[in-house]
Amino acid sequence: MKRSVQHTAGTVADWLREGRRVVAGLLVEVEGSSPLDVGASMYVDDQGGIEGSITGGCVEGAVAAAAMEILEQGGPPRLVTYGISDELAGTVGLMCGGIVDIFIHELRGDARDAALKDLEAILEDRPAALVTLIDGEHAGAKLYVDAEGVTGGLGVSGLLDSNAGREARGLLQEGRSSLRDFGADGASLGSGLRVYVAVHADPPRMVIFGAIDFSSALAPLAKGLGYRVTIADPRGAFLASPRFKVAAETIVAWPDKVLDGADLGPRDAVLVFTHDPKLDVPAVVAALATDAGYIGALGSRRTTTDRNRRLLDAGVTEEQLERVFAPCGLDIGASTVEETAVSVLAEIVTQRAGRHGQPLREAEGPIRHADTAAPEPA
């Protein structure tokens, strides 16, 4: 799939550099099932070229016809809804039919430059986000966001560009694309202007050691934040319950095997929930051998003190212990498994953003974390 996406990106980038007119079809929403994820794209140029796919063949013909009509007759962008029948869905390997919303629009003006930058980022395998305005007179405008800055604009207001850009950076951290709603003036808390943020970045990883209630409670929440979750335990019987597979990959293996060769970085997290001395120490030691940005271990203060002693005996240094958040979680008064999961995820978010988790009414400065000094959202 990645090779196919890069082939499409390379071809369409060439079209844009050659000055061809190009219409894009962007899958922005799915109800039911679809063979491709939201964010899938298809392109048609003014010489009859077609690249990419949106639904694996279900509605490509209709999208291509609409794109050619725009190229021949002009006209504004269209947000088109197609229903995929159960019979047609079966021909392309779907379990059932669905409804897809596809935004069909010509790449014009600054949007061409923003789209080209995004295609080049795909080719170079660089994290980036492309924001596309879906509604209003400026529908089809695009804002490209990466670590170096922004290209293009949405044409509505500086506030919308600022807030949409900040949202794109947040989604880049999570490694997921999303449809977002803003006010007519670009305010974050309004509605009326939808933008689609297409993100090109691998999702952050979360590895949880220990098949226990806390793991099954935390995994769906972490998945909702964009993490690709793995729950690991060498005790296969513990992992047998279906609840662990709902939102996570499961692996029956010892910690050193699970993390051997794992390329974990600042966006990734490792959690030790095993509550077994034979597993806790190997899990923390294996986590410390990675570059994971967050390493957390669950347990009481007494358990933490005992575990730290055993880690020091195993050769872990005091400096290395400073990397371990233990007991993990923020002090929110959690008393249930679910509340504890919220507490741990809250600490992961605050640590990633460089914050301290205090009440907003007692804090000063910008409410939302951002990489740039953009104005605070309205």
Side-chain angles (χ1 to χ4, degrees), residues 39 44 150 152 168 242 263 291 310 360:
V44 179
V150 301
D263 185 18
D291 293 323
R310 289 184 282 111
L360 286 173

Side-chain angles (χ1 to χ4, degrees), residues 13 16-17 110-124 126-130 143-146 148-152 200:
L16 292 174
R17 295 189 193 103
D110 291 344
R112 288 177 64 94
D113 297 331
L116 180 57
K117 294 273 273 187
D118 187 59
L119 293 166
E120 290 171 343
I122 294 173
L123 288 170
E124 297 167 12
R126 289 186 287 106
L130 186 64
L143 181 72
Y144 169 81
V145 179
D146 66 8
E148 303 301 320
V150 301
T151 297
H200 309 295

Side-chain angles (χ1 to χ4, degrees), residues 1 10 35 63 68 100 110 141 149 152 181 211 244 252 345 359:
M1 177 63 73
V63 173
M68 290 174 183
V100 294
D110 291 344
D181 216 349
F244 296 115
V252 179
L345 277 176

Side-chain angles (χ1 to χ4, degrees), residues 112-270:
R112 288 177 64 94
D113 297 331
L116 180 57
K117 294 273 273 187
D118 187 59
L119 293 166
E120 290 171 343
I122 294 173
L123 288 170
E124 297 167 12
D125 204 18
R126 289 186 287 106
L130 186 64
V131 184
T132 300
L133 181 63
I134 304 298
D135 299 310
E137 61 178 308
H138 299 286
K142 294 181 184 289
L143 181 72
Y144 169 81
V145 179
D146 66 8
E148 303 301 320
V150 301
T151 297
L154 302 179
V156 175
S157 66
L159 181 61
L160 179 60
D161 284 355
S162 173
N163 287 341
R166 181 183 285 109
E167 192 73 22
R169 290 187 182 90
L171 289 169
L172 261 175
Q173 284 284 343
E174 298 178 12
R176 64 188 179 101
S177 303
S178 182
L179 190 66
R180 290 288 195 253
D181 216 349
F182 293 90
D185 61 350
S188 292
L189 300 181
S191 62
L193 287 180
R194 288 169 297 172
V195 304
Y196 183 76
V197 185
V199 167
H200 309 295
D202 290 332
R205 288 194 61 191
M206 176 179 291
V207 181
I208 306 173
F209 289 108
I212 64 174
D213 288 346
F214 293 99
S215 305
S216 61
L218 189 142
L221 300 179
K223 183 179 179 180
L225 290 181
Y227 282 93
R228 179 160 61 91
V229 184
T230 298
I231 300 176
D233 199 307
R235 304 162 296 187
F238 285 67
L239 276 175
S241 173
R243 62 191 174 124
F244 296 115
K245 297 178 174 62
V246 170
E249 172 193 16
T250 57
I251 298 178
V252 179
W254 283 86
D256 58 336
K257 298 297 183 184
V258 175
L259 294 181
D260 182 31
D263 185 18
L264 301 183
R267 300 164 62 229
D268 303 314
V270 179

